[in-house]
Amino acid sequence: MKEMTAAVDIGTAKTTAIIGRYTIDRKLEVVGYGSTDTRGVRNGVVVNIEEAGQSIREAVDVACRGLKLKVRSIYAGLSGQKIRTRSASGYRMIDEDGEVTRELVSSLYEEVGRYSLQPGEKIFHVVPQEFIVDGEMGIQQPVGMAGNRIDAMFNLILAPDSYRINLRRCAEKAGFELAGVFVNPFVQGEAYLTEDEKEAGVVLVDFGAGTTGVSVYYENRLRLAAELPFGGAVVTRDIKEGCNIIARHAELLKVQFGRALAELAPDNKVVQIPESDGWPAKEVSFKNLSHIIQARMEEILEGISYQIESTGLMHKLGAGIVITGGGAGMADMEKLISFKTGLDVRFGRPVIPMKELLFAEQVNGPEAANILGLLVKGLKKREGMRNVDAMVIHEDEEEERPTNHRQQHRQNGNGFKGVFNNLFEKARDGLGNLISDEDMEMN
């Protein structure tokens, strides 16, 4: 198998690129991984196209090191505090044959795509919650059922379209096409949550540098995808200001000696801060350091709890909370979260079948949830759409372009047909096998 996919996570602190594929036995194989410091991004949002594009280029170059690969296009994730989830619903009367057809279900997706949004906002993902046929609730796969009326409940995952436009410009600045985008909280549980956890009810919290992602699953459906505008960077800033030290020393203190629960920090230990750049040497106690960290983390946890409570599922989360991201590794983090929420907490690890890892250290811990989720979603979308532009091609391989009628139709669709097909691309992950490629065609 030579077909591969590349994904890039443009975080506030790090930009990470990954290249992978599915093996014949459907295991995920990671063949390339690269990371570099991010420039041009603040709180998950691109603020400098040139610098962010350079970060993407550098990360992909590192991922390709030692590989004879040519990356043409990438999948990437959207981040930012304006990501939100909104419910939507629609209904249809079933025709005289009395059978729910794929076309009927498709028209429900079309209907929710017309919902009024805030100015500049875009629907990125349509996630079905349930279908109701003649009052029978909780139906997941209604096609083929008999009845007179079908109702559908959806969650729309929304974000400013400017997020996508700026991300595309960054990718182009780096020399790549943007094959597709996914809202980060939409993908973070893809490789890190089991089906049993999603069924029982689970929250995945991804602690990044600039933002904190929150995803809530219940009865195997994504119920919420949101981001908070706080992350590890604001904790570092608090330490810098609270201890009156430079930012570099504040980050080192947080990573090496920080604890999220102050009562567990030793009372009689201090760390020596050396003189640097005119700043005098000083001592910082472990206890004071932890108090600063805990105060900010409790504020972030209040935001997380608010998001969870907005779903009405706080008391139905049998699988508790899974924590991922670079900030998840802070000492006592799981204890503080469990204490504040009353839920069980575990550290995230990949749960999907994976081939023996070449990059086990990089992709086998909590910090890789976002990049692995982007890769898995990219692979699924590429397989579903059979879009060769989303592939990574060996340099000695002749590049191919779609030539059959169906592929040309997808690339050149415009007007109502283009909008309709684009909506189905967003809905595909939620639909599972309900709609095939052929079902998405409009003649």
Side-chain angles (χ1 to χ4, degrees):
M1 293 178 61
K2 292 187 176 182
E3 297 177 2
M4 301 185 204
T5 290
V8 177
D9 175 23
I10 305 98
T12 301
K14 295 286 185 181
T15 295
T16 304
I18 194 169
I19 300 170
R21 62 185 174 187
Y22 281 127
T23 61
I24 294 176
D25 57 353
R26 296 301 293 177
K27 290 183 178 180
L28 180 65
E29 180 183 17
V30 176
V31 301
Y33 179 94
S35 181
T36 188
D37 291 339
T38 297
R39 299 178 299 280
V41 175
R42 183 172 60 242
N43 292 337
V45 177
V46 173
V47 294
N48 186 306
I49 300 294
E50 186 79 31
E51 291 183 350
Q54 184 62 30
S55 297
I56 293 172
R57 179 77 259 175
E58 290 175 6
V60 174
D61 286 346
V62 174
C64 290
R65 191 171 295 165
L67 301 173
K68 193 178 180 182
L69 296 175
K70 179 180 179 181
V71 176
R72 289 208 304 259
S73 59
I74 59 175
Y75 287 95
L78 291 178
S79 184
Q81 68 182 77
K82 294 183 180 179
I83 293 170
R84 68 187 183 100
T85 302
R86 173 186 174 179
S87 61
S89 63
Y91 79 93
R92 288 288 184 272
M93 302 306 298
I94 302 172
D95 63 24
E96 58 186 18
D97 293 333
E99 179 180 341
V100 178
T101 63
R102 286 184 172 87
E103 290 74 19
L104 193 63
V105 174
S106 299
S107 69
L108 289 166
Y109 279 85
E110 174 204 345
E111 181 176 338
V112 299
R114 297 186 182 134
Y115 270 63
S116 61
L117 307 174
Q118 295 178 4
E121 202 169 43
K122 177 181 175 65
I123 300 173
F124 282 90
H125 306 293
V126 180
V127 185
Q129 301 300 293
E130 70 170 337
F131 295 92
I132 303 170
V133 179
D134 287 354
E136 291 293 334
M137 304 177 68
I139 297 169
Q140 301 299 326
Q141 300 287 359
V143 173
M145 295 188 66
N148 297 302
R149 169 173 165 151
I150 179 172
D151 293 76
M153 310 296 174
F154 301 93
N155 274 348
L156 311 180
I157 301 177
L158 315 165
D161 196 28
S162 60
Y163 286 4
R164 177 191 62 85
I165 295 171
N166 289 332
L167 197 57
R168 174 177 54 79
R169 290 174 178 171
C170 290
E172 291 173 349
K173 184 66 67 173
F176 307 113
E177 296 178 12
L178 191 61
V181 296
F182 302 100
V183 173
N184 282 340
F186 177 74
V187 306
Q188 285 161 354
E190 186 70 21
Y192 276 57
L193 297 177
T194 68
E195 294 304 308
D196 287 343
E197 286 174 326
K198 293 178 182 178
E199 180 68 29
V202 66
V203 181
L204 187 141
V205 179
D206 188 79
F207 291 101
T211 61
T212 298
V214 184
S215 310
V216 179
Y217 291 82
Y218 182 67
E219 293 183 341
N220 220 20
R221 294 292 184 184
L222 180 62
R223 306 295 182 170
L224 174 80
E227 283 204 338
L228 306 179
F230 305 106
V234 75
V235 177
T236 300
R237 187 186 67 194
D238 287 353
I239 297 170
K240 170 182 176 292
E241 296 175 353
C243 298
N244 195 27
I245 57 178
I246 63 176
R248 176 166 52 87
H249 288 161
E251 180 68 16
L252 289 173
L253 277 181
K254 181 185 74 174
V255 173
Q256 296 182 15
F257 307 107
R259 304 184 77 99
L261 205 53
E263 67 180 44
L264 299 181
D267 293 314
N268 56 354
K269 281 191 175 183
V270 296
V271 59
Q272 298 283 342
I273 305 296
E275 181 180 352
S276 177
D277 299 327
W279 289 71
K282 66 186 311 179
E283 293 182 345
V284 175
S285 76
F286 281 37
K287 183 68 77 173
N288 287 341
L289 174 63
S290 294
H291 274 299
I292 293 171
I293 293 172
Q294 181 175 341
R296 178 60 76 174
M297 288 310 306
E298 286 182 344
E299 182 180 348
I300 294 174
L301 289 173
E302 287 177 3
I304 293 169
S305 295
Y306 174 82
Q307 293 292 337
I308 298 172
E309 288 169 356
S310 72
T311 67
L313 298 172
M314 178 63 87
H315 302 294
K316 298 182 179 180
L317 301 171
I321 297 177
V322 176
I323 57 175
T324 64
M330 180 177 291
D332 304 324
M333 178 71 82
E334 78 284 10
K335 295 182 179 68
L336 177 63
I337 295 173
S338 183
F339 175 72
K340 298 297 291 186
T341 65
L343 297 171
D344 293 333
V345 179
R346 76 167 176 87
F347 292 98
R349 293 288 189 276
V351 297
I352 56 175
M354 300 184 72
K355 189 174 179 180
E356 183 178 350
L357 292 176
L358 295 175
F359 303 93
E361 183 179 350
Q362 293 92 336
V363 301
N364 205 32
E367 64 280 354
N370 207 60
I371 190 63
L372 276 184
L374 289 171
L375 177 61
V376 170
K377 283 292 189 185
L379 283 165
K380 287 182 177 180
K381 182 175 180 180
R382 194 211 68 202
E383 286 184 339
M385 300 302 293
R386 294 194 291 271
N387 181 359
V388 298
D389 286 336
M391 299 178 187
V392 180
I393 306 296
H394 280 262
E395 289 180 342
D396 57 357
E397 199 174 312
E398 182 179 353
E399 293 188 6
E400 297 179 322
R401 294 289 176 181
T403 56
N404 64 59
H405 171 74
R406 175 171 288 128
Q407 289 168 323
Q408 288 179 344
H409 177 75
R410 285 199 192 100
Q411 291 185 342
N412 300 325
N414 51 47
F416 176 76
K417 291 185 179 181
V419 171
F420 193 65
N421 284 343
N422 287 339
L423 183 61
F424 279 130
E425 291 179 28
K426 299 161 196 164
R428 173 180 294 279
D429 289 306
L431 278 170
N433 296 322
L434 184 60
I435 296 182
S436 65
D437 286 339
E438 289 75 12
D439 297 322
M440 292 172 64
E441 292 298 324
M442 293 186 63
N443 297 315

